[in-house]
């Protein structure tokens, strides 16, 4: 996908022409009249390995909080990141990551099972303003590793940098074409080449685009937030559509930056500047039967909040499925088969 971005629009276009979304079921008790599930499966998917590296060594993840952040939202994100490599009741975030780990490099080494949150930097003064271009993400990383106070280490060996922008920060193409993207830094800007990703908080800018299925798109004809009927179509498991929506986008980008960190490893298509990556293939699919605007069969907690994986501290999250190269279809640990 162009510049390794997460684009939701091809999914949303199918959403509005599908049958009523009110027919969603959030319970795993629903039965299907089919022997197997083939969510996204296709012999036409030509996902190939292009001989580049994957992130096989344990990842040191460095988070850059850009802008002013709600501490509760930060806690939700941190707990998700901790959950990737921590035990939790099945199906867990770590179980979800096991699909990502199926991807290997040319030596046969699998993507690491370990992502450690190794540092955080708080850019609460908006060092590069409240409107960011894509390229400015690299300057934000440069600032975070050279700051006089609380600088992050510059780690080209096994570091990954995750920039998270707050609700009041506008980012080039955000909401219009992307919810997040990943790439790698240029030595001329940062000093070394390291993989990074950016994800924006969409709760006040475009929840119906980047926090779906926790909010209706504005042009869906549904009531706006705060009105009878609301724009919430599934209750967010951690209480905030924007933060819970970010979790799936973060998961998407972590899966792709691990399997295609330098744009020369796992992707479909002939153009590395516009690849279709392992999470792009499963946009909008969260459970069995998902596709065409239906998220699939997921669970609900005692308060009716939708989720499909468990995390640390009793957390629950909703994350999209990933293309499984063995099963050759989209897959997650909450699959019914």
């Amino acid at each position: 996908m162009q510049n390794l971005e997460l684009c939701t629009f091809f999914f949303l276009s199918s959403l509005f022409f599908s049958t009523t979304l009110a027919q969603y079921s959030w319970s795993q008790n629903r039965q299907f009249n089919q022997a197997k599930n083939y969510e996204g499966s296709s012999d036409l998917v030509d996902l190939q390995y292009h001989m580049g590296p994957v992130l096989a060594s344990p990842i040191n993840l460095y988070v850059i909080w850009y802008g002013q952040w709600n501490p509760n939202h930060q806690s939700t994100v941190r707990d998700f990141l901790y959950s990737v490599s921590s035990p939790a009741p099945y199906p867990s975030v770590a179980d979800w990551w096991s699909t990502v780990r199926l991807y290997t490099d040319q030596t046969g080494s699998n993507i690491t099972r370990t992502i450690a949150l190794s540092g955080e930097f708080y850019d609460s003064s908006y060092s590069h303003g409240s409107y960011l271009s894509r390229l400015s993400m690299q300057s934000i990383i440069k600032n975070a590793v050279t700051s006089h106070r609380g600088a992050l280490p510059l780690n080209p060996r096994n570091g990954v940098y995750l920039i998270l922008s707050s609700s009041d920060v506008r980012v080039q193409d955000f909401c219009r074409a992307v919810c997040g993207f990943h790439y790698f830094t240029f030595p001329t800007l940062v000093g070394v080449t390291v993989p990074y990703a950016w994800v924006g908080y969409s709760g006040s800018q475009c929840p119906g685009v980047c926090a779906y299925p926790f909010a209706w798109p504005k042009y869906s004809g549904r009531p706006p937030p705060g009105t009878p009927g609301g724009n919430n179509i599934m209750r967010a498991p951690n209480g905030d559509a924007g933060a819970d929506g970010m979790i799936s986008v973060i998961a998407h980008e972590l899966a792709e930056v691990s399997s295609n960190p330098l744009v020369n490893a796992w992707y479909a298509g002939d153009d590395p500047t516009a690849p279709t990556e392992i999470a792009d293939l499963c946009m909008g699919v969260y459970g069995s039967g998902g596709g065409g605007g239906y998220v699939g069969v997921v669970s609900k907690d005692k308060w009716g909040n939708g989720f499909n994986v468990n995390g640390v501290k009793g957390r629950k999250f909703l994350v999209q499925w990933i293309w499984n190269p063995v099963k050759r279809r989209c897959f997650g640990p909450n699959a019914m088969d």
Side-chain angles (χ1 to χ4, degrees):
M1 197 167 286
Q2 183 67 33
N3 292 329
L4 311 182
E5 65 202 23
L6 168 58
C7 178
T8 62
F9 293 96
F10 73 91
F11 161 64
L12 290 175
S13 64
S14 66
L15 167 67
F16 303 131
F17 293 99
S18 62
T19 55
T20 174
L21 300 175
Q23 296 174 353
Y24 284 165
S25 169
W26 312 123
S27 170
Q28 287 187 335
N29 294 326
R30 176 171 173 173
Q31 301 297 315
F32 288 88
N33 294 320
Q34 57 193 54
K36 293 185 177 180
N37 297 305
Y38 293 100
E39 297 80 8
S41 62
S42 174
D43 291 334
L44 300 178
V45 173
D46 188 24
L47 184 68
Q48 295 185 12
Y49 176 55
H50 299 267
M51 304 306 291
V54 301
L55 300 186
S57 298
I59 295 170
N60 286 328
L61 184 67
Y62 304 100
V63 175
I64 300 171
W65 301 98
Y66 191 89
Q68 299 288 332
W69 275 89
N70 181 318
N72 292 331
H73 300 166
Q74 291 177 307
S75 294
T76 298
V77 172
R78 287 191 194 98
D79 286 345
F80 173 75
L81 297 174
Y82 290 138
S83 297
V84 174
S85 303
S86 300
Y90 187 88
S92 68
V93 177
D95 295 321
W96 172 86
W97 187 255
S98 66
T99 298
V100 181
R101 294 200 65 242
L102 294 174
Y103 291 88
T104 62
D105 62 16
Q106 57 186 305
T107 70
S109 298
N110 295 82
I111 289 174
T112 181
R113 70 172 70 249
T114 304
I115 296 181
L117 180 53
S118 301
E120 299 178 65
F121 182 81
Y122 303 90
D123 196 336
S124 56
S125 62
Y126 305 83
S127 63
H128 289 74
S130 59
Y131 176 81
L132 304 176
S133 67
R134 291 172 181 252
L135 190 58
S136 65
M137 299 301 168
Q138 300 196 34
S139 298
I140 290 172
I141 295 172
K142 177 69 172 180
N143 176 68
V145 300
T146 58
S147 174
H148 295 297
R149 299 181 61 182
L152 295 175
L154 182 57
N155 183 353
R157 187 174 67 87
N158 62 348
V160 173
Y161 295 80
L162 176 61
I163 304 166
L164 303 175
S165 57
S166 59
S167 61
D168 56 340
V169 176
R170 305 292 193 226
V171 176
Q172 179 184 359
D173 293 330
F174 184 36
C175 296
R176 184 186 66 80
V178 300
C179 301
F181 62 82
H182 75 90
Y183 207 60
F184 54 86
T185 60
F186 305 148
T188 53
L189 291 178
V190 180
V192 296
T193 297
V194 291
Y196 73 90
W198 159 80
V199 177
Y201 177 87
S202 66
S204 58
Q205 295 188 45
C206 56
V209 174
C210 294
Y212 181 86
F214 302 121
W216 291 103
K218 290 181 179 179
Y219 43 89
S220 67
R222 305 296 297 187
T227 61
N231 83 334
N232 291 331
I233 55 177
M234 183 199 294
R235 293 180 61 180
N238 296 287
D240 183 81
D244 278 295
M246 281 189 78
I247 295 302
S248 190
V249 184
I250 291 171
H252 178 120
E253 297 304 334
L254 287 178
E256 293 186 342
V257 78
S258 298
S259 58
N260 196 28
L262 301 181
V263 205
N264 59 0
W266 288 96
Y267 63 88
D270 298 326
D271 184 359
T273 66
T276 299
E277 300 176 276
I278 67 171
D280 296 327
L281 291 165
C282 302
M283 281 295 303
V285 177
Y286 299 83
S288 294
Y294 172 55
V295 300
V297 178
V298 300
S299 299
K300 60 181 179 181
D301 62 22
K302 62 183 179 181
W303 297 283
N305 303 316
F307 72 99
N308 62 359
V309 289
N310 297 294
V312 299
K313 303 178 184 177
R315 291 276 196 182
K316 301 182 185 300
F317 304 102
L318 187 75
V319 296
Q320 69 152 94
W321 282 8
I322 299 298
W323 185 263
N324 185 308
V326 176
K327 297 179 180 291
R328 292 193 56 79
R329 66 179 177 95
C330 299
F331 187 77
N334 60 312
M336 297 177 67
D337 65 345

